[in-house]
Amino acid sequence: MKWRAASLIAALMIAACAFAQVRREAVRTTIGIEGRAVFRHPAGEKVQAVPVDDKAPVVVRIADQTRDGEYVLYDLRFIAQYAGEFDLRDCLRRPDGTPLTNAEPLPVSIGKLLPDDHQGALFEIGGGRLPRLGGYQVVLLVIGPLWLAVPLVVLARRMARPRPAPPPRVAPPRTLADQLRPLVESAMRGEMSVPDRARLEMLLQAYWRERLGLGAGLDQAGAMSALRAHPDAGELLAMLDRWLHRPRRAGEAEVEVSAVLARYREARPVDLSSNAAAAAERGRA
Amino acid sequence: MAERVRARVARTVVGQDTVVERILIALLTGGHLLLQGVPGLAKTLLVHSVAKAIDLQFGRVQFTIDLLPSDIVGAEILDEATRQFRIHKGPIFTNLLLADEINRATPKVQSALLEAMQERKVTIGNTTHRLPVPFLVIATQNPVEQAGTFELPEAQLDRFMLCHRLDYPTKEQEEEVVRRSLKLGLNKSADGGAVPKSAFDAVDEGPELHVKDLTSAMEAVQSVHVSDVFLRHCIDLVDRTRRTTDLDLGCSPRAGIALAQAARARAFIYGRDYVIPDDLFALSEDVLLHRMRLTYEAMARGRTTRQVLRELMEQVS
């Protein structure tokens, strides 16, 4: 009886050990993440990884191998492309290409990182803060009239603004002739202050410079030389020199200015276009 | 007098009649002259010729950055023989001093010279010395190569009665300059050596005039009549430089004085005993331009002091 019980216990233990060998726990990893497993195989028989293509569900490589008595321990690294249960034994073979059907099974379990219903989107796009009112056409229909309304409003306001009153008529600037006339009359009457005499002299010079077109491109000194060379202007300037600048010699009569200045009492404004033509003529000469 | 000096100077210097006229105006009025022009326009030769023609002592100082006031004015030095200090007079003790490139010296040296110009005396040690009479400074400035120079401030520019801007000679004048230089020949020495003659070697004739002739001419200038109307023109023009918006700095009363005095000397040179507006117009740029300073706005608009002055002169009209 004792012998039977002992035999039964021994048989149960052997069976349990065998079952444990058969039901070896599977190595777990996920898709795309490299996993590691150790494969034990008799040393007399060489093992190599089955060549793979891009369709293979699991890619295995032998990273290292170590002798363990009668066996060799192969350090296997694998990456799976699909989720599921696989036996790495299928990915190994003998050098002659025959499968290792007699070897111990080497199960691996490949899990998924994403849920089954995942659509493949990398980022979750949140909704806008405001609810979208219609599509692009609706937006155009709303914004477009507003955009067109702005210039119309501006234009309307501008047209509605009262028009400014026309500028008051400004009297034309006094011509040299206008300025000369009262000074000449004062001179002929013999009633002139020093500032008026100085002004009269400069106005007469300016009158002749304008009349002879000597204004542009010629400095005052050059213009004076040209005026002195002119018969009429030269005569006037000589008279002004005698009258205004030269000291009166003993027994010398006062300079008679009326006759010369009388010509300038009714002096006409100078026609500047004819001056320009005259200046151009001189330039060509 | 002016014609004789001009004729003498014309023997060595071609053209530059206006500069000779300005030097004579400065001599006749006791003013000082600033010449602005690029190198090589015969400024030194011109001044040397004028000095020789009037029998004036002539001195020349090349202004550099390391020049000291004592290099111009003079200094007290210890005489080893007598064991006493004695005065060593500087080159400023002359009648006609050419201060070449005055803007290259430091402000300290510039002001030492300009003070002497104003006061006509210098102090060395404890002794004040009067400068020779007549005393005229002709300073030069190069309008280019302004790096490393010290621009004369307006207050010191105002001390110059005239500032004339020299221009290049005409083609005909330049041809004559070259032609003359080709005929100068060689200077042979007693030991058989020779060097080419320069234009300065041609300035060795006796004087055309003497200092007493210059003094007589200065007296004559003093008697040239300046009418009230002419004075009015001068004052109006100077006043307008102060009121125009284009100028930051208008002309000082010294400008009006210089204008009237220079006009008198010009009238004398042209044989008149009274001034006329032509004198005013001919001299206004040389008397007024260096005393005017443009505003930054006017400068930004590309205006020049010459443009502004010409407009002001037309406004007087």
Side-chain angles (χ1 to χ4, degrees):
Chain A
M1 188 66 189
K2 281 187 177 178
W3 184 83
R4 275 188 180 180
S7 301
L8 182 62
I9 291 167
L12 282 172
M13 286 180 70
I14 290 166
C17 288
F19 184 73
Q21 284 289 331
V22 173
R23 297 286 299 174
R24 184 173 178 176
E25 194 169 343
V27 178
R28 292 181 181 280
T29 185
T30 52
I31 294 173
I33 303 299
E34 190 180 72
R36 185 181 178 190
V38 177
F39 178 63
R40 190 164 172 266
H41 195 72
E45 205 172 47
K46 286 195 172 180
V47 173
Q48 59 181 205
V50 174
V52 295
D53 56 16
D54 55 354
K55 302 287 186 188
V58 181
V59 179
V60 175
R61 67 183 173 94
I62 301 172
D64 196 9
Q65 53 188 19
T66 315
R67 186 70 182 254
D68 182 18
E70 296 293 318
Y71 293 89
V72 175
L73 299 176
Y74 293 91
D75 181 7
L76 302 181
R77 306 293 169 89
F78 62 94
I79 295 177
Q81 298 190 56
Y82 304 102
E85 304 292 329
F86 301 97
D87 187 352
L88 291 189
R89 202 174 43 170
D90 300 336
C91 302
L92 300 172
R93 67 176 187 181
R94 295 190 186 85
D96 58 1
T98 54
L100 300 174
T101 47
N102 58 338
E104 294 174 9
L106 188 57
V108 292
S109 174
I110 308 301
K112 292 179 180 175
L113 288 172
L114 299 174
D116 288 338
D117 60 345
H118 194 268
Q119 299 296 316
L122 295 178
F123 303 101
E124 190 176 357
I125 300 171
R129 277 184 286 183
L130 293 173
R132 183 160 181 164
L133 302 171
Y136 180 67
Q137 285 185 342
V138 174
V139 170
L140 272 187
L141 284 172
V142 174
I143 301 294
L146 285 174
W147 183 71
L148 286 173
V150 172
L152 290 175
V153 170
V154 171
L155 193 64
R157 287 189 62 178
R158 198 168 281 181
M159 288 178 74
R161 196 181 299 164
R163 291 190 176 183
R169 281 194 177 179
V170 180
R174 294 175 72 202
T175 62
L176 278 174
D178 294 336
Q179 295 176 60
L180 264 175
R181 198 170 301 119
L183 291 171
V184 168
E185 285 170 358
S186 302
M188 292 172 70
R189 285 197 304 272
E191 304 163 354
M192 280 200 102
S193 62
V194 169
D196 281 348
R197 286 179 188 210
R199 185 166 169 70
L200 175 64
E201 183 181 30
M202 289 297 166
L203 279 172
L204 286 168
Q205 287 174 11
Y207 174 81
W208 273 103
R209 274 205 313 275
E210 198 170 280
R211 190 163 162 181
L212 299 181
L214 300 172
L218 201 60
D219 62 7
Q220 293 279 76
M224 285 301 282
S225 301
L227 290 183
R228 292 210 181 262
H230 189 272
D232 294 338
E235 182 198 1
L236 173 72
L237 293 184
M239 187 274 290
L240 289 173
D241 288 347
R242 287 196 306 275
W243 178 39
L244 299 174
H245 300 294
R246 201 181 77 170
R248 201 189 305 174
R249 316 281 188 242
E252 196 176 65
E254 196 167 335
V255 179
E256 172 54 44
V257 295
S258 303
V260 178
L261 289 182
R263 298 176 209 162
Y264 300 92
R265 187 166 49 185
E266 298 304 327
R268 301 266 173 226
V270 178
D271 180 6
L272 292 176
S273 59
S274 64
N275 284 345
E281 187 63 36
R282 271 199 306 281
R284 279 195 293 275
Chain B
M1 174 238 178
E3 281 311 310
R4 287 165 67 187
V5 174
R6 271 186 176 169
R8 166 56 74 82
V9 172
R11 287 184 207 166
T12 47
V13 181
V14 181
Q16 306 288 19
D17 290 341
T18 312
V19 192
V20 177
E21 183 190 300
R22 299 299 188 261
I23 293 174
L24 286 173
I25 288 172
L27 272 170
L28 291 169
T29 54
H32 302 287
L33 175 63
L34 179 62
L35 294 178
Q36 285 189 343
V38 293
L41 293 180
K43 295 187 286 283
T44 310
L45 179 64
L46 187 66
V47 178
H48 189 61
S49 302
V50 172
K52 280 278 185 183
I54 314 180
D55 196 19
L56 296 172
Q57 286 179 46
F58 172 68
R60 176 177 180 272
V61 180
Q62 178 68 46
F63 277 49
T64 55
I65 194 162
D66 55 352
L67 200 73
L68 295 172
S70 57
D71 295 334
I72 299 172
V73 173
E76 275 188 324
I77 56 171
L78 183 65
D79 191 334
E80 285 291 333
T82 60
R83 307 294 296 167
Q84 286 187 331
F85 282 102
R86 67 178 172 82
I87 303 292
H88 172 73
K89 289 184 176 176
I92 201 168
F93 287 88
T94 186
N95 295 122
L96 196 55
L97 177 70
L98 179 65
D100 231 347
E101 297 198 86
I102 190 172
N103 56 335
R104 296 219 171 268
T106 56
K108 195 173 180 180
V109 178
Q110 289 174 0
S111 45
L113 175 67
L114 293 163
E115 275 177 36
M117 284 163 55
Q118 181 73 15
E119 297 171 12
R120 296 179 191 279
K121 58 187 178 185
V122 292
T123 302
I124 304 171
N126 294 323
T127 317
T128 299
H129 301 267
R130 289 202 164 275
L131 294 174
V133 176
F135 174 67
L136 171 70
V137 173
I138 298 177
T140 69
Q141 275 196 147
N142 185 353
V144 294
E145 294 176 4
Q146 294 297 310
T149 61
F150 299 90
E151 194 181 353
L152 288 174
E154 276 72 11
Q156 295 191 345
L157 278 175
D158 199 28
R159 306 243 174 117
F160 286 98
M161 180 188 204
L162 299 163
C163 174
H164 183 71
R165 290 140 193 89
L166 278 94
D167 210 348
Y168 286 110
T170 61
K171 277 187 182 176
E172 292 74 23
Q173 289 171 342
E174 197 157 354
E175 189 181 330
E176 179 61 21
V177 170
V178 176
R179 203 181 296 282
R180 283 190 192 185
S181 73
L182 295 175
K183 291 179 184 169
L184 285 173
L186 291 177
N187 247 344
K188 291 181 180 170
S189 66
D191 58 356
V195 287
K197 277 186 178 176
S198 74
F200 285 91
D201 294 316
V203 195
D204 55 1
E205 297 175 55
E208 191 73 28
L209 299 168
H210 296 279
V211 174
K212 61 179 172 44
D213 299 317
L214 179 64
T215 308
S216 307
M218 290 170 81
E219 282 174 351
V221 168
Q222 293 294 315
S223 62
V224 170
H225 177 70
V226 180
S227 65
D228 292 342
V229 172
F230 184 86
L231 277 184
R232 185 78 195 184
H233 292 326
C234 291
I235 302 305
D236 276 348
L237 182 56
V238 170
D239 182 56
R240 277 172 200 272
T241 65
R242 296 173 200 151
R243 286 192 284 123
T244 177
T245 52
D246 280 337
L247 293 181
D248 207 11
L249 182 72
C251 295
S252 66
R254 202 181 273 162
I257 297 168
L259 205 48
Q261 284 183 344
R264 274 213 304 206
R266 187 176 184 273
F268 172 78
I269 290 168
Y270 281 86
R272 279 181 274 111
D273 64 349
Y274 58 96
V275 295
I276 54 175
D278 305 47
D279 299 321
L280 172 72
F281 296 139
L283 292 166
S284 55
E285 285 195 1
D286 284 359
V287 174
L288 302 181
L289 274 189
H290 65 289
R291 296 178 156 99
M292 293 162 46
R293 190 173 64 196
L294 283 174
T295 60
Y296 287 113
E297 292 81 4
M299 272 190 259
R301 291 200 307 272
R303 304 268 288 157
T304 62
T305 48
R306 192 184 295 261
Q307 282 175 349
V308 174
L309 181 61
R310 287 189 176 177
E311 287 172 11
L312 292 178
M313 284 161 67
E314 286 178 6
Q315 280 177 27
V316 171
S317 308

